[in-house]
Amino acid sequence: MARLGSEFKSLVQPAANEDVVETLSSLWMRLRAPVIAPMVQFSINVCLVMVFMLFMERIYMCTVLFYVKLFRRTPNKMYKFEPMKDDVELGNSHYPMVLVQVPMYNEREVFQLSIGAACGLAWPADRIIIQILDDSTDPEIKSMVQAECQRWAGKGINIKYEVRPNRVGYKAGALREGMKRSYVRLCDYVAIFDADFQPESDFLNRTIPYLVHNADVGLVQARWKFVNGDECLMTKMQEMSLNFHFSVEQTVGACAYAFFGFNGTAGVWRIHALNEAGGWKDRTTVEDMDLAVRAGLKGWKFVYLNDLEVKNELPSTFKAYRYQQHRWSCGPANLFRKIVPNIVANKKVRLLKKFHMVYSFFFVRKIVAHIVTFIFYCVVIPTAVLVPECDLPVWGAIYVPTFITFMNAAATPRSLHLLVFWILFENVMSMHRTKATFIGLFDVGNVNEWIVTEKLGSLVKYKTMPKANNKKWLFLTLLPKGFKLGERIHVLELIMGCYLLFCASVDFFFEGKNHFYIYLFLQSMAFFVMGFGYIGTIVPH
């Protein structure tokens, strides 16, 4: 009897499974046209509007950039610039007093480089103060940083080692505390460098004159140069994105409106402008952008020097990059929520500049760009493949995005051969940026989470994996010693990879008219690669 019962179940079970599949299929077919298709079509239309907004923004920026190049609207033509010269009679007194701030937090690998670069700036020794703001919680690192400061002090450098009892406000709090020191009252300008930044010795000579000779200039910003751009594929992708930001976005903002977002480092502020804007605030994780917007609303002008490069390090581990991108996406969205009323109500700046701040600087670049990249290319297009009743125009799904992509990548010509990888990488990262953007807009969750971006410095040598000594455990060598499996697996990426693979398979087997399955297969593979952690540099604990 037991045997007959089991045989009966084996006959009935497939039939039951087939009934469930048929029921679900029938339900899908009944709901698809009247319910699902209109919702997907509405999503497509909304996304197309956002794509068009991005397209027009790129066209506008290219037009301004063409004008800048054609008429050579360089900073030294737009503003007065005269190099600082020695005066036999006055001595060094005609040089303005400059404060150099270097905030750091447990920077074991790079603190010597950053302190050495700051102390190596060419400026009269009696007219410069180096301020090391050390928030380190590791006693060993704190003692090493303090010893390094003492070593430079022994060489005659006016260097101050400053600590505080807590990390309230993170970087903004450290900078704010540093500005409260009594000796800062002697200074006219403050240069800021993050712990991994290494300015050339002539940095101050190329920036300070713009502030000295132009009373309405509040900030001079330099460009970033990446010392590890060729370290791995992930750093190459970052370099492409950031080169567009500096070559195009910053240049256009500086030339068209004398306003752009301060990058938080490699810049020099007029201390009066900084104080008039309200100083450093820690209400968001983008204290630099917050300060820039407030100073811009006070009427201060910003100068961007695209030809002045300051060396720094890109995050080369996927974990560090994700934390950085969360902060860079969540912070601007949260600031947008908080500061738009101030921009709209401001009466000191012209209407066109306010429109640029609200629409271009914040809404299109910081909100729309993240949301449409993920929602459209990773959710709506794959879903539209499953709903043939929807109309997905080729111009919006392929032609316009391709044009935007080439415009972005043109800022890094040597990496054009990596264009496909860059698209897939950016689409995966857009999932985290979109999540962070919504967290910032709605001011919920870990909106003010600040995790310092890990710098590897000399640890890059660990990117080569050790060979296995035991063939039995060969698969475990894919994870370096001390690396936890949970840190390697990223569930959200794997879920998205499975969904995209499913949509690609449906499109392939049912012969989709636009062959979207080619893109969907590639994008799903990108999600799987990053979901399993095979991206960036792997460093053992």
Side-chain angles (χ1 to χ4, degrees):
M1 290 295 294
R3 186 171 62 82
L4 289 174
S6 61
E7 289 178 357
F8 176 75
K9 288 182 179 179
S10 65
L11 292 173
V12 173
Q13 192 68 35
N17 289 338
E18 289 178 6
D19 290 341
V20 171
V21 172
E22 288 181 6
T23 301
L24 292 176
S25 177
S26 175
L27 181 63
W28 167 258
M29 294 302 294
R30 278 184 291 180
L31 293 177
R32 193 175 73 184
V35 178
I36 297 174
M39 292 191 297
V40 175
Q41 188 63 56
F42 174 77
S43 301
I44 290 173
N45 295 339
V46 172
C47 289
L48 289 176
V49 171
M50 292 192 285
V51 169
F52 183 74
M53 291 167 66
L54 281 177
F55 174 70
M56 294 306 299
E57 180 69 10
R58 294 298 189 275
I59 290 293
Y60 164 73
M61 287 193 290
C62 282
T63 302
V64 175
L65 198 62
F66 176 76
Y67 170 81
V68 169
K69 298 292 184 183
L70 181 64
F71 294 97
R72 302 192 178 185
R73 296 280 292 172
T74 56
N76 58 358
K77 287 187 176 181
M78 298 173 62
Y79 300 94
K80 184 179 179 180
F81 180 88
E82 292 181 5
M84 304 297 297
K85 297 179 180 179
D86 294 332
D87 192 302
V88 178
E89 296 181 359
L90 298 176
N92 294 332
S93 62
H94 75 293
Y95 280 85
M97 198 74 178
V98 178
L99 175 70
V100 178
Q101 289 185 313
V102 184
M104 56 178 59
Y105 172 75
N106 293 338
E107 307 290 358
R108 181 188 296 272
E109 301 302 325
V110 295
F111 76 89
Q112 286 182 312
L113 290 174
S114 60
I115 294 175
C119 293
L121 291 169
W123 203 253
D126 60 335
R127 308 299 293 171
I128 186 172
I129 302 173
I130 310 297
Q131 189 184 64
I132 306 302
L133 305 168
D134 189 13
D135 270 359
S136 299
T137 53
D138 187 321
E140 182 184 357
I141 296 177
K142 290 185 75 169
S143 63
M144 289 192 298
V145 174
Q146 187 173 15
E148 184 69 9
C149 293
Q150 292 172 349
R151 187 174 74 85
W152 281 102
K155 295 182 178 183
I157 301 297
N158 188 2
I159 185 169
K160 309 289 185 181
Y161 176 73
E162 304 287 359
V163 295
R164 55 187 181 136
N166 54 60
R167 292 189 65 221
V168 173
Y170 303 108
K171 179 182 173 181
L175 294 170
R176 183 172 58 234
E177 285 296 313
M179 296 299 294
K180 293 179 181 179
R181 299 297 183 262
S182 58
Y183 54 80
V184 174
R185 300 193 193 101
L186 304 173
C187 301
D188 304 295
Y189 310 109
V190 54
I192 302 167
F193 301 101
D194 281 352
D196 58 316
F197 277 72
Q198 305 162 49
E200 297 295 336
S201 59
D202 63 345
F203 179 87
L204 295 178
N205 286 301
R206 296 178 63 180
T207 54
I208 295 295
Y210 286 104
L211 295 159
V212 171
H213 300 298
N214 301 275
D216 56 348
V217 171
L219 165 69
V220 180
Q221 171 74 59
R223 179 180 177 141
W224 298 1
K225 179 182 180 181
F226 312 109
V227 297
N228 62 334
D230 292 327
E231 180 184 330
C232 61
L233 187 60
M234 193 181 79
T235 56
K236 291 177 185 289
M237 304 297 99
Q238 293 177 66
E239 186 180 38
M240 292 177 70
S241 300
L242 288 171
N243 279 346
F244 174 80
H245 167 70
F246 285 106
S247 298
V248 181
E249 291 181 345
Q250 298 293 73
T251 300
V252 169
C255 294
Y257 305 99
F259 168 81
F260 49 82
F262 175 44
N263 295 118
T265 178
V268 186
W269 277 93
R270 185 187 301 274
I271 293 180
H272 175 60
L274 191 152
N275 291 334
E276 188 183 41
W280 294 103
K281 294 184 178 181
D282 55 13
R283 56 180 176 173
T284 70
T285 56
V286 284
E287 73 293 324
D288 44 11
M289 185 182 296
D290 189 356
L291 175 61
V293 174
R294 286 184 280 113
L297 293 177
K298 291 291 183 179
W300 291 101
K301 295 181 179 180
F302 301 165
V303 176
Y304 173 64
L305 305 179
N306 193 54
D307 60 344
L308 177 57
E309 299 178 332
V310 179
K311 293 186 291 185
N312 72 296
E313 179 184 328
L314 290 165
S316 54
T317 66
F318 187 42
K319 180 180 179 180
Y321 185 59
R322 283 178 63 182
Y323 282 134
Q324 183 202 68
Q325 292 303 296
H326 174 87
R327 189 171 75 247
W328 285 7
S329 303
C330 180
N334 193 236
L335 180 60
F336 175 71
R337 167 194 175 103
K338 294 176 179 178
I339 209 166
V340 162
N342 301 91
I343 298 175
V344 174
N346 185 275
K347 297 180 180 179
K348 195 164 187 177
V349 299
R350 53 198 174 111
L351 182 62
L352 187 61
K353 185 173 182 177
K354 291 199 291 185
F355 177 78
H356 166 73
M357 285 183 171
V358 174
Y359 177 77
S360 296
F361 182 76
F362 273 114
F363 187 63
V364 176
R365 300 180 197 173
K366 313 300 182 187
I367 309 296
V368 169
H370 299 325
I371 293 176
V372 73
T373 302
F374 175 65
I375 299 297
F376 191 39
Y377 302 113
C378 300
V379 178
V380 173
I381 289 180
T383 305
V385 166
L386 307 177
V387 187
E389 291 85 356
C390 293
D391 177 28
L392 180 59
V394 177
W395 66 264
I398 299 177
Y399 299 147
V400 171
T402 300
F403 178 78
I404 293 174
T405 300
F406 272 105
M407 289 170 59
N408 284 16
T412 314
R414 68 186 182 88
S415 297
L416 282 174
H417 63 289
L418 301 174
L419 193 60
V420 173
F421 295 102
W422 180 77
I423 295 170
L424 300 176
F425 174 77
E426 285 294 298
N427 286 352
V428 175
M429 288 308 304
S430 70
M431 177 177 66
H432 298 288
R433 294 180 183 130
T434 300
K435 175 186 173 184
T437 298
F438 282 121
I439 289 174
L441 281 176
F442 294 105
D443 202 14
V444 296
N446 55 344
V447 64
N448 287 320
E449 180 184 44
W450 179 290
I451 297 177
V452 176
T453 304
E454 178 187 26
K455 289 93 176 178
L456 297 183
S458 59
L459 283 179
V460 170
K461 63 186 177 184
Y462 289 118
K463 66 183 177 181
T464 303
M465 298 287 188
K467 294 183 179 180
N469 294 322
N470 190 343
K471 293 182 180 180
K472 182 179 179 180
W473 301 103
L474 181 62
F475 71 97
L476 290 179
T477 63
L478 294 174
L479 298 177
K481 185 178 179 181
F483 204 92
K484 298 179 181 178
L485 183 64
E487 295 178 355
R488 187 73 178 262
I489 302 299
H490 305 288
V491 177
L492 290 178
E493 282 88 345
L494 296 179
I495 293 174
M496 283 302 305
C498 291
Y499 179 67
L500 289 168
L501 182 61
F502 169 73
C503 295
S505 301
V506 171
D507 194 48
F508 175 77
F509 287 111
F510 289 92
E511 298 181 356
K513 58 182 179 180
N514 291 319
H515 304 294
F516 282 125
Y517 60 82
I518 299 174
Y519 156 71
L520 295 177
F521 275 129
L522 290 173
Q523 191 63 68
S524 67
M525 291 303 104
F527 271 99
F528 283 130
V529 168
M530 297 174 74
F532 286 113
Y534 287 98
I535 186 74
T537 299
I538 304 299
V539 181
H541 289 182

